[in-house]
Amino acid sequence: MASIPPAAKRFIVHVNRQIRRYSAPGEGAIPPAKQKYVPTSGTYPKGFLASSAHVGVKPSNTRFDDLALIASETPCSGAAVFTQNKFQAAPVTQSRDMLRRRGGGGIRAVVVNSGCANAVTGKGGIEDAWKMGEETDKCFREESPSDDGKGSRTIVMSTGVIGQRLPLRKILHKIPSAYYDLGNSHFHWLRAARAICTTDTFPKLLSRTFTLPSAPDTTYTLAGMTKGAGMIHPNMATLLGIICTDAPIAPEPLQSLLSAAIDKSFNSISIDGDTSTNDTVALLANGAAGGAEITSASSAGYAEMQQTLINFAADLAQLVVRDGEGATKFVTIRVTNAASYADAKRVASTIARSPLVKTALYGKDANWGRILCATGYAEGVSSVVPEQTSVSFIPTDGSAELKLLVRGEPEAVDEARAAQILEAEDLEILVRLSESKGKEAIYWTCDFSHEYVTINGDYRT
């Protein structure tokens, strides 16, 4: 029998020793490096409740909750932004149709299952999504039996493997259990955030208080949860998000507020360049904290609400990137001095999804040529002028930027300092497209590691 070469032996040993830290349910342990992103407390919006339940959507999941329910105690305004993938999952179709039929009003809940995406499942999958919504609706009819004739009041979301039907009977059986377990504590919200995870290594949950000039003495609250670690790229950035606020906002301005916020948050992140079939981010507003309702873009407080929502959604979206499958780095890409915001964003997006840029970052290699190459092939961009383009690394310790390219001319790079900068978990890449002041766009991405391939090589099986 032929002997095994030493290099092959080392590879076999490496594979055999590999520890899988990514897969939920798995052991469910949060990696120590990610613990800091999991809140230990929170302030949650009035009139909203959360819960979770164990279904076992994936037969291998015998321990962890995989059904989440977020509900308003009263009918509320609802809005959502959906994937632009042409193969849109059944819950996307159901939720879009439901919101259109209701005009964004009278919404009561969001129900989510993980473990199966209910995508590319034909008419049967669409029927399953509607049945999930209808079963959730039944729970609230016990509180208020009146029917306004506009149909379901529930947004439905699913995430997981594409091309498989839901174990619908099991899910429908557990929806009432989730309803009876609804609560407003941090524990309830965190369990719900955990229940929507797939390959995520930690639950992604944020909450924040704010005020509006239309009601300066009133404290409002935002709470949001999201999931996603792979198949992440706009438009939308398998990603789900649920944001709730007790501020009073009518359906029409709620949709415009969400759409604008998404552009600078969930549509400004990329992990692997793959746009999911299921992406959905929903925003609910029940007005439980009181104050004058925002009824249009000209209402007092609209502009402040917009900026508050943009900042909150961006922070929530960044948690997705920080949990990128196999990722070791969180990378901010800032493109400035462009002729238009669209140009700046296209360049940033192209850099963010370049496999060569991402692998160089994983290898801690200051290979700025790959950044420049991606800048140059960004499609539909007229702002790139090679002799005016500059590229720098911005360290996270507050020290001076490391200039790699200045006005099209390469710098003598201090490789030792470059290596030191690339050792950090966080990094900013700054690309100036000209010397003239212009538009700026920010994108968030991560590196590509060996583990990304491992995770996605056996995700379905």
Side-chain angles (χ1 to χ4, degrees), residues 162-455:
I162 293 171
Q164 296 181 3
R165 290 286 295 274
L166 292 169
L168 187 65
R169 185 175 298 178
K170 292 168 66 176
I171 292 174
L172 299 184
H173 178 69
K174 285 302 182 80
I175 286 175
S177 298
Y179 170 77
Y180 288 114
D181 283 343
L182 284 167
N184 61 2
S185 71
H186 175 68
F187 172 77
H188 287 92
W189 283 87
L190 190 62
R191 280 190 61 181
R194 173 63 184 81
I196 68 175
C197 292
T198 51
T199 58
D200 308 61
T201 65
F202 67 93
K204 299 162 185 63
L205 176 67
L206 290 178
S207 63
R208 185 169 300 165
T209 58
F210 64 98
T211 58
L212 294 172
S214 53
D217 297 327
T218 302
T219 298
Y220 295 109
T221 305
L222 274 166
M225 64 182 69
T226 187
K227 66 81 52 185
M231 199 180 280
I232 304 295
H233 187 73
N235 287 305
M236 287 251 306
T238 314
L239 182 148
L240 302 177
I242 306 160
I243 302 173
C244 301
T245 182
D246 50 18
I249 310 171
E252 185 175 348
L254 191 71
Q255 183 64 58
S256 64
L257 285 165
L258 178 62
S259 297
I262 290 297
D263 185 55
K264 295 187 176 181
S265 58
F266 289 99
N267 271 353
S268 291
I269 63 174
S270 185
I271 287 175
D272 47 22
D274 274 329
T275 298
S276 167
T277 55
N278 288 58
D279 297 336
T280 303
V281 174
L283 173 61
L284 305 181
N286 65 8
E293 185 178 40
I294 295 174
T295 58
S296 70
S298 60
S299 295
Y302 180 93
E304 290 78 8
M305 186 70 223
Q306 182 69 89
Q307 194 56 54
T308 298
L309 187 59
I310 287 173
N311 294 340
F312 184 80
D315 289 345
L316 198 58
Q318 288 173 42
L319 291 177
V320 175
V321 178
R322 290 195 178 278
D323 200 22
E325 289 173 341
T328 68
K329 294 194 181 304
F330 175 84
V331 185
T332 299
I333 299 172
R334 187 184 304 271
V335 177
T336 66
N337 299 344
S340 66
Y341 172 74
D343 273 9
K345 191 171 183 181
R346 286 192 190 104
V347 171
S349 172
T350 304
I351 296 169
R353 66 177 184 269
S354 165
L356 291 178
V357 170
K358 294 160 81 68
T359 50
L361 292 170
Y362 174 65
K364 303 172 185 176
D365 180 8
N367 195 337
W368 56 266
R370 294 181 177 181
I371 300 169
L372 199 66
C373 180
T375 300
Y377 67 67
E379 295 182 359
V381 175
S382 60
S383 299
V384 179
V385 182
E387 58 270 20
Q388 292 186 28
T389 301
S390 300
V391 178
S392 297
F393 284 159
I394 308 298
T396 56
D397 61 4
S399 59
E401 67 182 280
L402 178 62
K403 296 179 180 180
L404 307 171
L405 183 81
V406 178
R407 293 186 295 275
E409 295 291 330
E411 293 287 287
V413 178
D414 183 341
E415 294 292 347
R417 182 157 185 255
Q420 184 180 31
I421 292 172
L422 289 169
E423 281 290 334
E425 179 184 345
D426 287 23
L427 169 71
E428 180 177 323
I429 296 172
L430 173 62
V431 178
R432 299 180 179 92
L433 296 182
S434 74
E435 292 298 300
S436 303
K437 188 175 181 179
K439 299 297 183 179
E440 175 180 295
I442 300 174
Y443 227 83
W444 297 282
T445 191
C446 57
D447 56 348
F448 263 163
S449 69
H450 300 289
E451 193 174 11
Y452 177 85
V453 178
T454 302
I455 292 167

